[in-house]
Amino acid sequence: MSSGTGARPGPGGETPGAWRPAAPLAGGVAVEPALRAARDGGRKLLVPYVTGGLGPGWVDVLRAAVDAGADAVEVGLPFSDPVMDGPTIQEASLRALEAGATPAAILGSLASIELPVPVVAMTYYNLVLRAGHRRFAKLLVDGGVRGAIVPDLPLEELGDWGPAAEVGGVETVLLAAPVTPDDRLAELCERSHGFVYGVNLMGVTGERKSLSTSADVLAKRLKAVTDKPVIMGFGISNPEQAVAASVNADGVVVASALMRLVLGGASPAQVGDTVAAFRTALDKG
Amino acid sequence: MESQDDVEAQREEMTGTSSGPVRMGEPTADGRFGAFGGRYLPESLVPACQELEAAFRAAWAPDTDFRRRYRALLKDYAGRPTPLTDCERLSEALGVRVLLKREDLTHTGSHKINNVIGQGLLTLEMGKTRLVAETGAGQHGVASATAAALFGLECVVYMGEVDTERQELNVFRMKLLGAEVRPVGSGSRTLKDAVNEALRDWVASVETTHYCLGSVMGPHPYPWMVRELQRVVGDEARAQVRALLCGADPDLVVACVGGGSNAAGTFAGFVDTTARLVGVEAAGGSAIGRGVPGVLHGMRSYLLQDEWGQILEAQSISAGLDYPGIGPEHAYLADAGRATYEVAEDREVLEALQLLARTEGIIPALEPAHALAWLVRATRDGSVPAGSTVMLTLSGRGDKDAEQVMAALR
Ligand SMILES: Cc1ncc(COP(=O)(O)O)c(C=O)c1O
C-alpha cells in the first residue's frame, strides 16, 4: 500500500504535505466528509487527475500525486469519444485504450492499493450504461472509488445512475457551467455529492494561457448557494492559475497539465514534483 | 384546467407512451422515443439545447412566419417539390414497380438541403451568427455552407480526414461557398469524429454559434427537429404516390440510413399507412443489426460498441453511412416493429448504382444505392413479392462519388 507521508493539518491548516483521514474506510475514502474536513481545516483543495491505464506506471503516478499533497485524486476511465476533452486528454485516453485499458483492469489495479485520500472516477456515461448501473457502482466501490464524475449526464438524465450510485455508496459529482442559470445551479448543487465541480470556462479540457474570467464569476455564484466543497477545473495550467482559481472557491482540479507531462515521458517523481509545486502555491495562497 | 381526456390525448400524441398504433409524433418532454433519445450532454450545452427546443417549437407552430419562409425557400431556392419518377425499365428488371422520390434533383443534390434551410432560418431567429456542422460524405457540409452563404452566416465544417480524401470535390465546393473546412485527425477520422469535434467547437462557441446537425441524431430536440424538417420528403411522396395510384399507398417504402434523416422524413409520410417500412444501413455500419443500446453524441440509441462501451468504427464505401449509431427514433421504430432495418454490402451497392444508371439514366449517390441494392436482393430472393409497388427515396445524386466509384470499379 502507499503511505501518504503528510500529517493531518491542524485547525489552521498550517501543515503542508499530504493529508489523510485517521482511518481509511473499507472500500475507499468517502469523498465529501474528507474534502469538507480538509477545507474546514483551512486548506485549499488540490485534486490531480490521472488517466487510468496510461502507461505501465500510471498507478505510481497516482501515488506520487497523492504523496505530493493531493486532497483527492481523479482517475479517468478512458472512453473512445471524449467530447468534453481537449487534445491532451484525448491523446491520453487513446493511448490508454490502445494499451488495453478497461474499467475492470483499472479498478482492479486500484483495488490492490490503498490510498489515504478519496478517489473519484471520471468517465463518460456509455461505460456506465454498458456495464450496468448497479454493476458499475460495485466495480467502483470494489476498486476503492467512492466518487464519480460523468460529464455527459446532466440533471435530467441522472435518473438511472443516481439511485444505483447512492445505493452502491458512490457520490456523484455534478458539473456546473458558466451558462448554468441560477435556479438550475441551486438544484445542481443540491443534487451533487462529494463536491461541486465548477467548470471554469466554456470549452473542453486543456491548458490555457490565462484563467478564464468566467471562472471567478462561477466560483462566487456557487459559493453563494452551497456549502459543499466547490472545486474548479478545466484549463488550470500552472500554480499561479490554481491560486487565482481557488481564491473564491475551495480548490482546483489539475488534469491536462499533468497528463501532458506523462505523455511526454515524465517519471512519476517528476509528476509528483509538479503536484508539489501546485501544493506549495496553494498553501501559500 | 385540462380535462383528463386532454391529458390522455396529449399522451397519445407522444411517441413512446401510447400503446396504440406507432406514430411519428413529438417525443416525450425529455426527448424520448420509447426508450431512446434523451439529452446526454455536458451541462455547458444544456441551456443551448433548451433554447433551440423552444425556438423550434415556436417556429414550427402552424401558420408561423417561419413556416412560410421555410416553405417559400424550399420551393424557390431548393426546387421543391421534387418529382416522383415511375421507373419503367428498372421496374421491368426487378419485377416490382419502383417509384423514386427524387431528392437528387434538389439544389445541392441531396435531401440535406431541407434540413439546413430550416436550421439556417432558426439560427437567424435565435440571433446567432455562426454555424458549425459535421459532415461525412460532404453533402451536409455542402448544404450547410450553402445555407450559411444564403443567410449570411459564418460556417465551419468538421470532416474526418478519411472523408476529406475520398470526397475532395465536396471539400472544394464548401470552400467555394465560403465555408472553412477543418479536417479531423482524431479517432477513426470519419463522421463520428467529425461530430465529436463539432461538439467541442460548440461548447466553446455556443453564445454565437448554432450547431447545424445533419441527421436525426444527437440530443433532443435534434432527432425530432431534423425529422420534422425532412418530413417534406415523405409528405410530398405520399401525395404523389396517391395521385399516381388513384389513392392507393405503396406496399413498401425504402430509404437508406446513415443517421437516418432521409429515412425518417420519408417514413413520417407513410407511418400511418399499411406500407412496409424498410431502412437500409451499410453492412459495416449496421447499428440496428449489430449494435447494442448505448449513449453517444447526446442520444441513447443502438451503437456499435465493444463489451466495455468503447465505440467501434463503422466501415463503408459510403462516407455518409459510416456512422456507428442510428437516430433514436429508428431504434424505437425497430423495437416497436413498425420498421425493419436491413443492410447492403459495398459490392452489391456498386452493382445497384450501375443498374440504375443503365436502366433509368440516373446516377445515384452511394448512400441511396444501398437502399436500391437491398431492394434488388429482396426482389430476387422473394422477400419482396413480384408485383409489389415500392417507393424508394433517392436521397442524393452520384456526382460526388464519381471518382470513388471509378476507382472501385477498376
Ligand atoms: C445522399 C445522402 N443520402 C443519405 C445520407 C445519410 O444521411 P441520413 O441517414 O441522415 O439520411 C447522406 C449523408 O451524407 C447523403 O449524402
Side-chain angles (χ1 to χ4, degrees), chain B residues 116-164:
Chain B
V116 298
I117 285 180
Q119 289 200 46
L121 281 172
L122 264 182
T123 306
L124 295 182
E125 237 151 85
M126 292 186 293
K128 295 186 172 183
T129 55
R130 178 174 177 266
L131 292 182
V132 288
E134 83 294 339
T135 197
Q139 287 304 97
H140 175 59
V142 168
S144 299
T146 301
L150 177 65
F151 297 120
L153 302 166
E154 197 188 324
C155 182
V156 171
V157 180
Y158 290 92
M159 188 169 186
E161 275 172 357
V162 170
D163 296 332
T164 53

Side-chain angles (χ1 to χ4, degrees), chain A residues 78-85 90 97 102-104 125-127 129-130 135 139 151-154 156-157 175-177 179-181 184 188 199 201-204, chain B residues 30 32 38-47 50 186-187 192-193 196-197 199-200 203-204 206 292-297 300 303 305-311:
Chain A
F79 177 48
S80 54
D81 295 82
V83 291
M84 271 304 265
D85 287 302
Q90 283 177 46
L97 289 173
T102 64
Y125 183 53
N126 199 48
L127 269 62
L129 188 60
R130 188 73 171 106
R135 182 167 157 246
L139 273 172
D152 55 349
L153 209 54
E156 291 78 3
E157 303 292 356
L175 292 89
V179 292
T180 305
R184 203 177 154 83
L188 202 149
V199 177
L201 49 85
M202 291 300 290
V204 296
Chain B
D30 57 355
R32 292 289 194 288
R39 185 180 282 154
Y40 296 89
L41 273 189
E43 176 65 20
S44 303
L45 290 175
V46 170
Q50 291 171 335
S186 59
K192 158 180 93 79
D193 310 280
N196 289 341
E197 220 45 57
L199 282 168
R200 290 180 185 123
V203 181
V206 64
V292 175
V295 165
L296 178 70
H297 298 152
R300 188 175 197 277
L303 296 174
Q305 54 179 312
D306 73 9
E307 59 174 322
W308 289 107
Q310 308 299 346
I311 307 304

